[in-house]
Amino acid sequence: MRCCAAIQAGSLPQRRDRRHGSAAKPMGRCALARIPGPVPGSPALPASPSRISRYRLPAFAVALVLLVGVAIASLTAVAGLRSSNAWIEHSYEVINQIEVVERSIRAVEANARAYRLTGHPDFRSEYLAAAPEVDRTIEALTMLIRDNPDQDTRARHLRDIARQHLAELRRVHDLQEARGAEAARLATDPGTVLRQWGEIEGIGSQMRRDELRLLAERKAANHRQAVQLSVIVILGMLASGAIMVILMKSLTRENRRALGLEKEARGAAHEMALSMDQVNRLSRQRHELSRYSGLLQSCTTRDEIVQLSIETILRLLPGASGRIYLLRASQKFHDSVASFGEAMISSPDALLPEDCWALRRGQMHMLAGVDRRQLGCGHLDPGMPAPGVTSICLPLSAQSGSIGLLHVSAPTEQVDHGDGIDELIGQLAEQLGLAIANLQLRETLRTQSLRDPLTGLFNRRYLEESLGRELQRCERRGLPLSVLMLDVDHFKRFNDTHGHAAGDALLSQIGRQIEAAVRDEDIACRYGGEEFTLVMPELDAASACARAERIRRQVEMTTVQHLGQQLGPVTISIGIATFPGDGYAPHLLLQMADATLYRAKAEGRNRVLHVSYAP
């Protein structure tokens, strides 16, 4: 509203004076004094100079008073609007801080519960790191609402309840640290936790409702002030314009002014069209980023995440190109996992962290083709920045660590629209890094849930899941399947002689020997204790016996280095059961292989045995 008033009151009259060759001044006494005179190239005004001159000064004085009044009213209303907007922004800050407080309490409770259920040290670290954030966020909320006694009382009550809740979580955590997870579980009072959390949610909801009520009142007051300002400006400008029209009787000048206004209107319409185009473009970009965020949550593989990211980048920046790098496990190289677009600037398939300024600094590094004084990254084309091309390097980070790099190059005019496309790409890179880190964490947790930590082989749970699936596949294709049950001979005596640590080292060594001896399609598992199980799809009894014999001989020649001593060798006994001759169900094959194993041990150990019970 202020911009429109400024244009009507000052800018347009100045443009009219320039078109008539006068100095750039507002329409004041000097401008009005020239109205009766003839305009070059136009007929003289037909009005009576004496009659017009009698009302010139009073009319000018009235117009000046109106303009001054409009200006004073506008300044007063603008100050009121600024104050009202500040209170509205304050309400939004309070509502956002309430959400932050609730999220911080949820984070502490979630990490504490995760640690209590899993015992994983990462959850304990996150719990200990998140707990102090609760007091900080509540104190920040208290500072925001200290001007509101009711809200301040609720905030203090929320702080007390939150501290009680944290104290309960700390008590259970300390009990778990001292006596174990089972004791912590038994000591947890769900009723107390639910009651405390219910009070926290209730106080937060009440504070949010009260702040929303204040927000609605402030918005209404803001709207009233805006309407009042609009009415004052419009009425003042209309009155001033009416006086100016009465004073400006010259037909030629009026026509010229109409033409000038028409030209300015076309310019304003053009500017408005450009502004609307920019608004629409911003809206589409935000929609694409929102769509990306939603779809990213449903991606289950790295390829899906990378493909979705590339599609979104190309929607935000059509014609762009670049690469996505991920950090190797060695933590030394970043490997390219995907490239997109027709490369405007080349970048290698692998790079070191010191080759890129974004990886060094941990933040975006942009090279615009219009500025030759910028410092380029070592992994880009020599001579960057290239004319007309902008390069953006964004580190992919998660949990304060770098996991990769996103490099995007695009035409400079696309990046320099002024619509914050670089910020959108930065937000996309941030979400991409978090998504890849979460996927890696899920894969790590899944692997840990299916692997035996001592031997690195699959555990019994994976065996039970996979044996039935492989058995069904072989049955459909009419192929055999063999199950081998392995047991370390005299393992108890080995443990009693050398200690449990040596026994663990022996089992770990045997696990590596077994894993090295099996095929890619075989399933090697630790069944329990010193027993191992091998599932060999598409392998008949004779072939299974031959492979088992090679494993037995390899283990028989194996020794273990433990505490400077060479222990062993040891021997193993192996029992074999084969589908379909020895059974059609997974549990029958396991029972048959186990029975054959014990028979092999009874016959003297250190041997491979397969006894077919087929009719």
Side-chain angles (χ1 to χ4, degrees), residues 385-401:
V389 178
T390 294
S391 170
I392 307 175
C393 294
L394 302 110
L396 305 180
S397 304
Q399 300 177 354
S400 303

Side-chain angles (χ1 to χ4, degrees), residues 16 78 139 184 275 307 318 344 362 375 445 471 485 506 544 558 602:
R16 288 194 292 273
V78 166
E139 287 301 324
S275 299
Q307 183 62 32
M344 302 178 184
L375 189 61
L445 294 176
L471 190 60
M485 191 71 73
L506 174 64
T558 299

Side-chain angles (χ1 to χ4, degrees), residues 356 358 363-365 377 379-380 391-395 405-408:
C356 182
Q363 62 186 36
M364 177 193 299
H365 187 69
C377 296
H379 64 95
L380 301 180
S391 170
I392 307 175
C393 294
L394 302 110
L405 174 73
L406 171 62
H407 171 245
V408 179

Side-chain angles (χ1 to χ4, degrees), residues 120 122 436-451:
H120 200 283
D122 288 348
I436 292 177
N438 289 335
L439 180 64
Q440 292 174 347
L441 178 60
R442 288 199 302 268
E443 289 297 325
T444 300
L445 294 176
R446 181 179 178 275
T447 300
Q448 291 175 352
S449 69
L450 298 178
R451 293 279 183 179

Side-chain angles (χ1 to χ4, degrees), residues 38 48 72 100 121 135 183 241 267 283 290 508-509 533 585:
S48 172
I72 295 174
V100 170
D135 274 339
S283 177
S290 175
S508 179
Q509 178 67 17
T533 303

